[in-house]
PDB file of all heavy atoms in Angstrom:
ATOM      1  N   CYS A   1     -67.820 137.751 179.821  1.00  0.00           N
ATOM      2  CA  CYS A   1     -69.197 138.195 180.143  1.00  0.00           C
ATOM      3  C   CYS A   1     -69.198 138.679 181.536  1.00  0.00           C
ATOM      4  O   CYS A   1     -69.826 139.778 181.838  1.00  0.00           O
ATOM      5  CB  CYS A   1     -70.203 137.043 179.972  1.00  0.00           C
ATOM      6  SG  CYS A   1     -71.786 137.419 180.419  1.00  0.00           S
ATOM      7  N   ALA A   2     -68.653 137.876 182.557  1.00  0.00           N
ATOM      8  CA  ALA A   2     -68.580 138.311 183.921  1.00  0.00           C
ATOM      9  C   ALA A   2     -67.914 139.646 184.171  1.00  0.00           C
ATOM     10  O   ALA A   2     -68.442 140.554 184.857  1.00  0.00           O
ATOM     11  CB  ALA A   2     -67.967 137.313 184.742  1.00  0.00           C
ATOM     12  N   GLU A   3     -66.857 139.868 183.455  1.00  0.00           N
ATOM     13  CA  GLU A   3     -66.126 141.107 183.581  1.00  0.00           C
ATOM     14  C   GLU A   3     -66.914 142.305 183.031  1.00  0.00           C
ATOM     15  O   GLU A   3     -66.945 143.346 183.596  1.00  0.00           O
ATOM     16  CB  GLU A   3     -64.722 141.014 182.845  1.00  0.00           C
ATOM     17  CG  GLU A   3     -63.819 140.067 183.565  1.00  0.00           C
ATOM     18  CD  GLU A   3     -62.607 139.674 182.678  1.00  0.00           C
ATOM     19  OE1 GLU A   3     -62.562 140.239 181.495  1.00  0.00           O
ATOM     20  OE2 GLU A   3     -61.751 138.921 183.150  1.00  0.00           O
ATOM     21  N   MET A   4     -67.589 142.089 181.932  1.00  0.00           N
ATOM     22  CA  MET A   4     -68.389 143.089 181.262  1.00  0.00           C
ATOM     23  C   MET A   4     -69.600 143.420 182.117  1.00  0.00           C
ATOM     24  O   MET A   4     -70.029 144.507 182.333  1.00  0.00           O
ATOM     25  CB  MET A   4     -68.785 142.652 179.855  1.00  0.00           C
ATOM     26  CG  MET A   4     -69.515 143.813 179.009  1.00  0.00           C
ATOM     27  SD  MET A   4     -68.268 145.103 178.756  1.00  0.00           S
ATOM     28  CE  MET A   4     -69.209 146.525 179.156  1.00  0.00           C
ATOM     29  N   MET A   5     -70.178 142.364 182.696  1.00  0.00           N
ATOM     30  CA  MET A   5     -71.360 142.587 183.680  1.00  0.00           C
ATOM     31  C   MET A   5     -70.845 143.493 184.826  1.00  0.00           C
ATOM     32  O   MET A   5     -71.713 144.405 185.193  1.00  0.00           O
ATOM     33  CB  MET A   5     -71.932 141.248 184.054  1.00  0.00           C
ATOM     34  CG  MET A   5     -72.682 140.512 183.053  1.00  0.00           C
ATOM     35  SD  MET A   5     -73.323 138.898 183.591  1.00  0.00           S
ATOM     36  CE  MET A   5     -74.430 139.318 185.016  1.00  0.00           C
ATOM     37  N   HIS A   6     -69.704 143.194 185.369  1.00  0.00           N
ATOM     38  CA  HIS A   6     -69.267 143.933 186.463  1.00  0.00           C
ATOM     39  C   HIS A   6     -69.192 145.484 186.074  1.00  0.00           C
ATOM     40  O   HIS A   6     -69.606 146.391 186.890  1.00  0.00           O
ATOM     41  CB  HIS A   6     -67.936 143.517 186.971  1.00  0.00           C
ATOM     42  CG  HIS A   6     -67.357 144.297 188.122  1.00  0.00           C
ATOM     43  ND1 HIS A   6     -66.138 144.976 187.955  1.00  0.00           N
ATOM     44  CD2 HIS A   6     -67.834 144.396 189.420  1.00  0.00           C
ATOM     45  CE1 HIS A   6     -65.982 145.476 189.145  1.00  0.00           C
ATOM     46  NE2 HIS A   6     -66.866 145.256 190.061  1.00  0.00           N
ATOM     47  N   GLU A   7     -68.667 145.678 184.875  1.00  0.00           N
ATOM     48  CA  GLU A   7     -68.535 147.089 184.447  1.00  0.00           C
ATOM     49  C   GLU A   7     -69.945 147.749 184.196  1.00  0.00           C
ATOM     50  O   GLU A   7     -70.105 148.879 184.630  1.00  0.00           O
ATOM     51  CB  GLU A   7     -67.683 147.027 183.065  1.00  0.00           C
ATOM     52  CG  GLU A   7     -67.156 148.411 182.701  1.00  0.00           C
ATOM     53  CD  GLU A   7     -66.151 148.273 181.622  1.00  0.00           C
ATOM     54  OE1 GLU A   7     -65.479 147.231 181.463  1.00  0.00           O
ATOM     55  OE2 GLU A   7     -65.983 149.296 180.877  1.00  0.00           O
ATOM     56  N   LEU A   8     -70.854 146.943 183.650  1.00  0.00           N
ATOM     57  CA  LEU A   8     -72.226 147.396 183.343  1.00  0.00           C
ATOM     58  C   LEU A   8     -72.977 147.741 184.641  1.00  0.00           C
ATOM     59  O   LEU A   8     -73.706 148.729 184.791  1.00  0.00           O
ATOM     60  CB  LEU A   8     -72.959 146.425 182.528  1.00  0.00           C
ATOM     61  CG  LEU A   8     -72.495 146.368 181.099  1.00  0.00           C
ATOM     62  CD1 LEU A   8     -73.085 145.125 180.419  1.00  0.00           C
ATOM     63  CD2 LEU A   8     -72.905 147.618 180.300  1.00  0.00           C
ATOM     64  N   ILE A   9     -72.800 146.882 185.637  1.00  0.00           N
ATOM     65  CA  ILE A   9     -73.462 147.064 186.932  1.00  0.00           C
ATOM     66  C   ILE A   9     -73.018 148.462 187.519  1.00  0.00           C
ATOM     67  O   ILE A   9     -73.773 149.205 188.182  1.00  0.00           O
ATOM     68  CB  ILE A   9     -73.254 145.968 187.941  1.00  0.00           C
ATOM     69  CG1 ILE A   9     -73.916 144.653 187.393  1.00  0.00           C
ATOM     70  CG2 ILE A   9     -73.721 146.307 189.339  1.00  0.00           C
ATOM     71  CD1 ILE A   9     -73.593 143.415 188.150  1.00  0.00           C
ATOM     72  N   GLY A  10     -71.714 148.699 187.381  1.00  0.00           N
ATOM     73  CA  GLY A  10     -71.142 149.902 187.833  1.00  0.00           C
ATOM     74  C   GLY A  10     -71.646 151.214 187.241  1.00  0.00           C
ATOM     75  O   GLY A  10     -71.672 152.241 187.710  1.00  0.00           O
ATOM     76  N   LYS A  11     -72.195 150.971 185.967  1.00  0.00           N
ATOM     77  CA  LYS A  11     -72.851 152.067 185.215  1.00  0.00           C
ATOM     78  C   LYS A  11     -74.401 152.017 185.362  1.00  0.00           C
ATOM     79  O   LYS A  11     -75.052 152.833 184.687  1.00  0.00           O
ATOM     80  CB  LYS A  11     -72.480 151.934 183.721  1.00  0.00           C
ATOM     81  CG  LYS A  11     -70.947 152.124 183.489  1.00  0.00           C
ATOM     82  CD  LYS A  11     -70.409 153.554 183.745  1.00  0.00           C
ATOM     83  CE  LYS A  11     -69.020 153.605 183.397  1.00  0.00           C
ATOM     84  NZ  LYS A  11     -68.435 154.990 183.566  1.00  0.00           N
ATOM     85  N   GLY A  12     -74.975 151.193 186.146  1.00  0.00           N
ATOM     86  CA  GLY A  12     -76.372 151.221 186.482  1.00  0.00           C
ATOM     87  C   GLY A  12     -77.258 150.168 185.996  1.00  0.00           C
ATOM     88  O   GLY A  12     -78.412 150.190 186.279  1.00  0.00           O
ATOM     89  N   THR A  13     -76.761 149.250 185.130  1.00  0.00           N
ATOM     90  CA  THR A  13     -77.560 148.139 184.664  1.00  0.00           C
ATOM     91  C   THR A  13     -77.727 147.083 185.724  1.00  0.00           C
ATOM     92  O   THR A  13     -76.713 146.622 186.381  1.00  0.00           O
ATOM     93  CB  THR A  13     -76.876 147.487 183.409  1.00  0.00           C
ATOM     94  OG1 THR A  13     -76.650 148.475 182.401  1.00  0.00           O
ATOM     95  CG2 THR A  13     -77.822 146.409 182.824  1.00  0.00           C
ATOM     96  N   LYS A  14     -78.939 146.664 185.892  1.00  0.00           N
ATOM     97  CA  LYS A  14     -79.258 145.684 186.964  1.00  0.00           C
ATOM     98  C   LYS A  14     -79.884 144.366 186.516  1.00  0.00           C
ATOM     99  O   LYS A  14     -79.991 143.430 187.229  1.00  0.00           O
ATOM    100  CB  LYS A  14     -80.202 146.260 188.016  1.00  0.00           C
ATOM    101  CG  LYS A  14     -79.711 147.598 188.655  1.00  0.00           C
ATOM    102  CD  LYS A  14     -78.362 147.426 189.368  1.00  0.00           C
ATOM    103  CE  LYS A  14     -77.892 148.702 190.065  1.00  0.00           C
ATOM    104  NZ  LYS A  14     -76.646 148.551 190.719  1.00  0.00           N
ATOM    105  N   ASN A  15     -80.304 144.307 185.203  1.00  0.00           N
ATOM    106  CA  ASN A  15     -81.032 143.120 184.730  1.00  0.00           C
ATOM    107  C   ASN A  15     -80.371 142.543 183.526  1.00  0.00           C
ATOM    108  O   ASN A  15     -80.127 143.148 182.472  1.00  0.00           O
ATOM    109  CB  ASN A  15     -82.416 143.568 184.372  1.00  0.00           C
ATOM    110  CG  ASN A  15     -83.190 144.184 185.481  1.00  0.00           C
ATOM    111  OD1 ASN A  15     -83.668 143.481 186.423  1.00  0.00           O
ATOM    112  ND2 ASN A  15     -83.491 145.448 185.436  1.00  0.00           N
ATOM    113  N   PHE A  16     -80.039 141.198 183.692  1.00  0.00           N
ATOM    114  CA  PHE A  16     -79.207 140.487 182.635  1.00  0.00           C
ATOM    115  C   PHE A  16     -79.837 139.226 182.273  1.00  0.00           C
ATOM    116  O   PHE A  16     -80.384 138.542 183.113  1.00  0.00           O
ATOM    117  CB  PHE A  16     -77.797 140.200 183.227  1.00  0.00           C
ATOM    118  CG  PHE A  16     -77.049 141.560 183.546  1.00  0.00           C
ATOM    119  CD1 PHE A  16     -77.114 142.080 184.802  1.00  0.00           C
ATOM    120  CD2 PHE A  16     -76.219 142.030 182.664  1.00  0.00           C
ATOM    121  CE1 PHE A  16     -76.410 143.212 185.119  1.00  0.00           C
ATOM    122  CE2 PHE A  16     -75.464 143.227 182.951  1.00  0.00           C
ATOM    123  CZ  PHE A  16     -75.535 143.850 184.240  1.00  0.00           C
ATOM    124  N   ILE A  17     -79.726 138.882 180.997  1.00  0.00           N
ATOM    125  CA  ILE A  17     -79.886 137.596 180.523  1.00  0.00           C
ATOM    126  C   ILE A  17     -78.683 137.109 179.769  1.00  0.00           C
ATOM    127  O   ILE A  17     -78.199 137.807 178.884  1.00  0.00           O
ATOM    128  CB  ILE A  17     -81.137 137.502 179.387  1.00  0.00           C
ATOM    129  CG1 ILE A  17     -82.420 138.016 180.143  1.00  0.00           C
ATOM    130  CG2 ILE A  17     -81.353 136.053 178.943  1.00  0.00           C
ATOM    131  CD1 ILE A  17     -83.584 138.091 179.199  1.00  0.00           C
ATOM    132  N   LEU A  18     -78.167 135.902 180.232  1.00  0.00           N
ATOM    133  CA  LEU A  18     -76.979 135.344 179.574  1.00  0.00           C
ATOM    134  C   LEU A  18     -77.489 134.606 178.345  1.00  0.00           C
ATOM    135  O   LEU A  18     -78.356 133.723 178.381  1.00  0.00           O
ATOM    136  CB  LEU A  18     -76.299 134.407 180.510  1.00  0.00           C
ATOM    137  CG  LEU A  18     -75.890 134.878 181.869  1.00  0.00           C
ATOM    138  CD1 LEU A  18     -75.031 133.858 182.604  1.00  0.00           C
ATOM    139  CD2 LEU A  18     -75.089 136.275 181.768  1.00  0.00           C
ATOM    140  N   GLY A  19     -76.901 134.905 177.143  1.00  0.00           N
ATOM    141  CA  GLY A  19     -77.388 134.219 175.913  1.00  0.00           C
ATOM    142  C   GLY A  19     -76.259 133.762 174.965  1.00  0.00           C
ATOM    143  O   GLY A  19     -75.171 133.929 175.284  1.00  0.00           O
ATOM    144  N   HIS A  20     -76.808 133.197 173.898  1.00  0.00           N
ATOM    145  CA  HIS A  20     -75.904 132.644 172.840  1.00  0.00           C
ATOM    146  C   HIS A  20     -74.884 131.628 173.418  1.00  0.00           C
ATOM    147  O   HIS A  20     -73.788 131.609 172.929  1.00  0.00           O
ATOM    148  CB  HIS A  20     -75.193 133.815 172.016  1.00  0.00           C
ATOM    149  CG  HIS A  20     -74.843 133.436 170.648  1.00  0.00           C
ATOM    150  ND1 HIS A  20     -73.930 132.511 170.356  1.00  0.00           N
ATOM    151  CD2 HIS A  20     -75.402 133.891 169.492  1.00  0.00           C
ATOM    152  CE1 HIS A  20     -73.847 132.348 169.071  1.00  0.00           C
ATOM    153  NE2 HIS A  20     -74.747 133.250 168.427  1.00  0.00           N
ATOM    154  N   LEU A  21     -75.308 130.717 174.340  1.00  0.00           N
ATOM    155  CA  LEU A  21     -74.411 129.752 174.839  1.00  0.00           C
ATOM    156  C   LEU A  21     -74.127 128.619 173.836  1.00  0.00           C
ATOM    157  O   LEU A  21     -75.001 128.326 173.028  1.00  0.00           O
ATOM    158  CB  LEU A  21     -74.962 129.044 176.000  1.00  0.00           C
ATOM    159  CG  LEU A  21     -74.813 129.746 177.369  1.00  0.00           C
ATOM    160  CD1 LEU A  21     -75.586 131.063 177.484  1.00  0.00           C
ATOM    161  CD2 LEU A  21     -75.398 128.802 178.515  1.00  0.00           C
ATOM    162  N   SER A  22     -72.864 128.226 173.780  1.00  0.00           N
ATOM    163  CA  SER A  22     -72.417 127.134 172.874  1.00  0.00           C
ATOM    164  C   SER A  22     -73.079 125.864 173.361  1.00  0.00           C
ATOM    165  O   SER A  22     -73.123 125.631 174.509  1.00  0.00           O
ATOM    166  CB  SER A  22     -70.923 127.035 172.876  1.00  0.00           C
ATOM    167  OG  SER A  22     -70.533 125.817 172.144  1.00  0.00           O
ATOM    168  N   GLU A  23     -73.477 125.058 172.405  1.00  0.00           N
ATOM    169  CA  GLU A  23     -74.082 123.740 172.774  1.00  0.00           C
ATOM    170  C   GLU A  23     -73.050 122.770 173.187  1.00  0.00           C
ATOM    171  O   GLU A  23     -73.249 121.858 173.951  1.00  0.00           O
ATOM    172  CB  GLU A  23     -74.801 123.229 171.522  1.00  0.00           C
ATOM    173  CG  GLU A  23     -75.807 122.171 171.920  1.00  0.00           C
ATOM    174  CD  GLU A  23     -76.896 121.898 170.807  1.00  0.00           C
ATOM    175  OE1 GLU A  23     -76.762 122.366 169.692  1.00  0.00           O
ATOM    176  OE2 GLU A  23     -77.856 121.137 171.157  1.00  0.00           O
ATOM    177  N   ASN A  24     -71.779 122.985 172.664  1.00  0.00           N
ATOM    178  CA  ASN A  24     -70.755 121.975 172.940  1.00  0.00           C
ATOM    179  C   ASN A  24     -69.670 122.450 173.913  1.00  0.00           C
ATOM    180  O   ASN A  24     -68.888 121.663 174.408  1.00  0.00           O
ATOM    181  CB  ASN A  24     -70.021 121.649 171.587  1.00  0.00           C
ATOM    182  CG  ASN A  24     -71.004 120.917 170.641  1.00  0.00           C
ATOM    183  OD1 ASN A  24     -71.663 120.017 171.062  1.00  0.00           O
ATOM    184  ND2 ASN A  24     -71.054 121.484 169.400  1.00  0.00           N
ATOM    185  N   ASN A  25     -69.560 123.782 174.166  1.00  0.00           N
ATOM    186  CA  ASN A  25     -68.561 124.320 174.968  1.00  0.00           C
ATOM    187  C   ASN A  25     -69.106 125.106 176.196  1.00  0.00           C
ATOM    188  O   ASN A  25     -68.280 125.919 176.764  1.00  0.00           O
ATOM    189  CB  ASN A  25     -67.621 125.161 174.105  1.00  0.00           C
ATOM    190  CG  ASN A  25     -66.983 124.499 172.982  1.00  0.00           C
ATOM    191  OD1 ASN A  25     -66.265 123.525 173.167  1.00  0.00           O
ATOM    192  ND2 ASN A  25     -67.281 124.966 171.744  1.00  0.00           N
ATOM    193  N   ASN A  26     -70.313 124.849 176.622  1.00  0.00           N
ATOM    194  CA  ASN A  26     -70.795 125.553 177.750  1.00  0.00           C
ATOM    195  C   ASN A  26     -72.023 124.873 178.255  1.00  0.00           C
ATOM    196  O   ASN A  26     -72.601 123.832 177.574  1.00  0.00           O
ATOM    197  CB  ASN A  26     -71.193 126.951 177.252  1.00  0.00           C
ATOM    198  CG  ASN A  26     -71.081 127.979 178.492  1.00  0.00           C
ATOM    199  OD1 ASN A  26     -70.757 127.588 179.618  1.00  0.00           O
ATOM    200  ND2 ASN A  26     -71.289 129.288 178.215  1.00  0.00           N
ATOM    201  N   THR A  27     -72.417 125.180 179.460  1.00  0.00           N
ATOM    202  CA  THR A  27     -73.783 124.736 180.002  1.00  0.00           C
ATOM    203  C   THR A  27     -74.343 125.896 180.689  1.00  0.00           C
ATOM    204  O   THR A  27     -73.665 126.870 180.978  1.00  0.00           O
ATOM    205  CB  THR A  27     -73.441 123.508 181.075  1.00  0.00           C
ATOM    206  OG1 THR A  27     -72.821 124.111 182.188  1.00  0.00           O
ATOM    207  CG2 THR A  27     -72.653 122.429 180.381  1.00  0.00           C
ATOM    208  N   HIS A  28     -75.803 125.740 181.022  1.00  0.00           N
ATOM    209  CA  HIS A  28     -76.352 126.810 181.681  1.00  0.00           C
ATOM    210  C   HIS A  28     -75.771 126.965 183.016  1.00  0.00           C
ATOM    211  O   HIS A  28     -75.549 128.121 183.549  1.00  0.00           O
ATOM    212  CB  HIS A  28     -77.830 126.401 181.897  1.00  0.00           C
ATOM    213  CG  HIS A  28     -78.702 126.765 180.652  1.00  0.00           C
ATOM    214  ND1 HIS A  28     -78.374 126.414 179.435  1.00  0.00           N
ATOM    215  CD2 HIS A  28     -79.875 127.437 180.661  1.00  0.00           C
ATOM    216  CE1 HIS A  28     -79.363 126.921 178.614  1.00  0.00           C
ATOM    217  NE2 HIS A  28     -80.251 127.513 179.313  1.00  0.00           N
ATOM    218  N   GLU A  29     -75.397 125.781 183.725  1.00  0.00           N
ATOM    219  CA  GLU A  29     -74.850 125.894 185.078  1.00  0.00           C
ATOM    220  C   GLU A  29     -73.549 126.604 185.066  1.00  0.00           C
ATOM    221  O   GLU A  29     -73.200 127.360 186.044  1.00  0.00           O
ATOM    222  CB  GLU A  29     -74.721 124.489 185.686  1.00  0.00           C
ATOM    223  CG  GLU A  29     -76.119 123.759 185.786  1.00  0.00           C
ATOM    224  CD  GLU A  29     -76.694 123.251 184.632  1.00  0.00           C
ATOM    225  OE1 GLU A  29     -76.012 123.168 183.570  1.00  0.00           O
ATOM    226  OE2 GLU A  29     -77.973 123.058 184.596  1.00  0.00           O
ATOM    227  N   LYS A  30     -72.616 126.192 184.112  1.00  0.00           N
ATOM    228  CA  LYS A  30     -71.275 126.862 184.138  1.00  0.00           C
ATOM    229  C   LYS A  30     -71.340 128.407 183.876  1.00  0.00           C
ATOM    230  O   LYS A  30     -70.609 129.140 184.501  1.00  0.00           O
ATOM    231  CB  LYS A  30     -70.461 126.155 183.061  1.00  0.00           C
ATOM    232  CG  LYS A  30     -69.844 124.818 183.478  1.00  0.00           C
ATOM    233  CD  LYS A  30     -68.792 124.308 182.471  1.00  0.00           C
ATOM    234  CE  LYS A  30     -68.141 123.115 182.894  1.00  0.00           C
ATOM    235  NZ  LYS A  30     -67.284 123.362 184.144  1.00  0.00           N
TER     236      LYS A  30
END
């Protein structure tokens, strides 16, 4: 996700929502 966001920012996107987080393999903070 981070790598793709970097690419998208370079193409002009400035607003992001991180979604579809795993309940067992991720946290909001991570």
Side-chain angles (χ1 to χ4, degrees):
C1 175
E3 292 168 359
M4 191 64 225
M5 284 176 62
H6 180 244
E7 198 166 334
L8 289 168
I9 292 169
K11 297 293 184 177
T13 304
K14 303 298 182 186
N15 300 290
F16 298 88
I17 299 176
L18 308 184
H20 208 294
L21 275 66
S22 169
E23 195 160 15
N24 298 307
N25 299 302
N26 209 356
T27 67
H28 278 50
E29 294 76 18
K30 279 188 177 293

